[in-house]
């Protein structure tokens, strides 16, 4: 008896792969279409997110692009949540993890977070796939394992390290989601909701006298690129983690 989708999912977690045996196409055009596999489903899903954004991603939409019915997908992917897990796992698989260095742990953990940011920003809104989900995909867990090893090498206590990974991941996810939402509004013609720095400065200058600090420090409030702010916030979070000994100097 062939394994069901749940068994295939369990096997992926044990083996760390999204591959499975291709399903034969049926019907007169079956021989001309690519076989349906987990890899084909994931690649198709990424294409939809890249072109249309994450909100457009549904199992029915993936099936339509693959010119099949949704039931064909469920022979390989348990449900939409399973597909979400595979998407995040694929992006995490591209992250390079350094050998933990006690003398450079802060730079290393920031570097991993930056890699995650850059992977997520390739696909608008993709981080929604990771919210409110405990990681179980081996590729995703590999990144968590690497981050934990870096923090522990820096002398961060295990409990603080564990919660730091959660906080850092949440910040990266939220940052990327906000970035994609702003980009989406611009693409949809919502320029009035995504203001330029010049327009913000003009509005701050026009504020009534009840906002003296905002008016006085408008330049500082609007300074820097979004990535400048990412680096600053990441630095605050990492610098707040107490290491020990030479690793914290």
């Amino acid at each position: 008896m062939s394994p069901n989708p749940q068994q295939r999912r369990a096997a992926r977690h044990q083996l760390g792969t999204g591959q499975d045996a291709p399903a034969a196409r049926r019907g007169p055009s079956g021989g001309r279409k690519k076989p349906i596999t987990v890899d084909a489903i994931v690649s198709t899903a990424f294409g939809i997110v890249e072109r249309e954004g994450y909100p457009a991603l549904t199992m029915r939409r993936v099936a339509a692009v693959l010119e099949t019915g949704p039931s064909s997908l469920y022979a390989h992917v348990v449900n939409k949540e399973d597909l979400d897990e595979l998407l995040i796992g694929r992006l995490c698989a591209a992250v390079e993890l350094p050998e933990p260095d006690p003398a450079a742990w802060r730079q290393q953990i920031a570097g991993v977070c930056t890699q995650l940011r850059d992977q997520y920003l390739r696909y608008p809104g993709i981080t929604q796939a990771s919210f409110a989900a405990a990681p179980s995909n081996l590729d995703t867990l590999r990144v968590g394992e690497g981050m934990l090893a870096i923090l522990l090498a820096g002398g961060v206590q295990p409990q603080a390290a564990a919660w730091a990974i959660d906080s850092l991941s949440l910040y990266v996810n939220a940052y990327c989601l906000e970035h994609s939402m702003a980009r989406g509004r611009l693409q949809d013609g919502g320029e009035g909701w995504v203001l330029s720095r010049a327009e913000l400065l003009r509005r701050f200058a026009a504020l009534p006298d009840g906002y003296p600090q905002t008016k006085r420090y408008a330049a500082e409030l609007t300074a820097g690129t979004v990535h400048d702010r990412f680096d600053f916030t990441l630095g605050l979070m990492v610098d707040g983690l107490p290491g020990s000994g030479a690793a914290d100097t």
Side-chain angles (χ1 to χ4, degrees):
M1 180 181 295
S2 299
N4 60 34
Q6 286 80 1
Q7 291 169 329
R8 288 194 176 100
R9 182 174 185 268
R12 288 199 301 269
H13 292 171
Q14 293 169 4
L15 301 175
T17 175
Q19 300 292 336
D20 64 349
R25 293 275 193 168
R26 296 179 180 179
S29 63
R32 298 195 301 272
K33 297 179 181 178
K34 293 182 180 179
I36 297 174
T37 64
V38 169
D39 187 65
I41 293 170
V42 171
S43 296
T44 300
F46 272 126
I48 293 169
V49 175
E50 186 173 26
R51 294 188 302 272
E52 306 170 34
Y54 179 78
L57 181 63
T58 64
M59 298 295 282
R60 188 173 296 277
R61 183 77 181 91
V62 174
V65 174
L66 288 172
E67 300 182 43
T68 188
S71 60
S72 298
L73 305 187
Y74 293 121
H76 305 275
V77 178
V78 180
N79 49 29
K80 175 61 161 47
E81 289 71 25
D82 188 23
L83 177 57
D84 285 344
E85 190 174 80
L86 288 165
L87 293 173
I88 297 300
R90 173 81 69 85
L91 295 178
C92 286
V95 174
E96 296 182 4
L97 297 171
E99 185 68 27
D101 181 355
W105 68 275
R106 296 184 190 277
Q107 295 88 339
Q108 287 184 330
I109 199 70
V112 172
C113 290
T114 300
Q115 286 188 70
L116 282 171
R117 177 201 71 189
D118 293 343
Q119 286 295 321
Y120 293 154
L121 287 179
R122 295 168 56 198
Y123 301 98
I126 194 69
T127 56
Q128 294 175 74
S130 65
F131 282 120
S136 57
N137 182 284
L138 289 186
D139 288 318
T140 305
L141 288 170
R142 180 188 70 91
V143 173
E145 171 75 14
M147 294 174 71
L148 184 58
I150 291 170
L151 294 176
L152 293 176
V156 180
Q157 292 300 306
Q159 186 62 77
W163 287 348
I165 293 171
D166 184 58
S167 299
L168 289 167
S169 299
L170 185 61
Y171 173 66
V172 173
N173 290 347
Y175 172 88
C176 293
L177 179 58
E178 182 183 49
H179 189 281
S180 67
M181 290 176 66
R183 184 169 65 177
R185 285 179 173 178
L186 283 172
Q187 292 174 343
D188 292 340
E191 291 87 353
W193 293 103
V194 184
L195 303 178
S196 66
R197 187 188 186 204
E199 176 62 17
L200 276 175
L201 288 171
R202 187 189 69 76
R203 294 192 181 193
F204 286 167
L207 287 171
D209 292 340
Y211 300 85
Q213 305 308 326
T214 301
K215 295 179 70 171
R216 180 177 181 180
Y217 297 106
E220 288 81 1
L221 289 169
T222 59
T225 66
V226 289
H227 282 359
D228 289 337
R229 292 168 181 251
F230 177 89
D231 293 340
F232 174 79
T233 305
L234 208 62
L236 286 180
M237 298 175 74
V238 174
D239 289 344
L241 292 171
S244 62
D248 198 38
T249 59

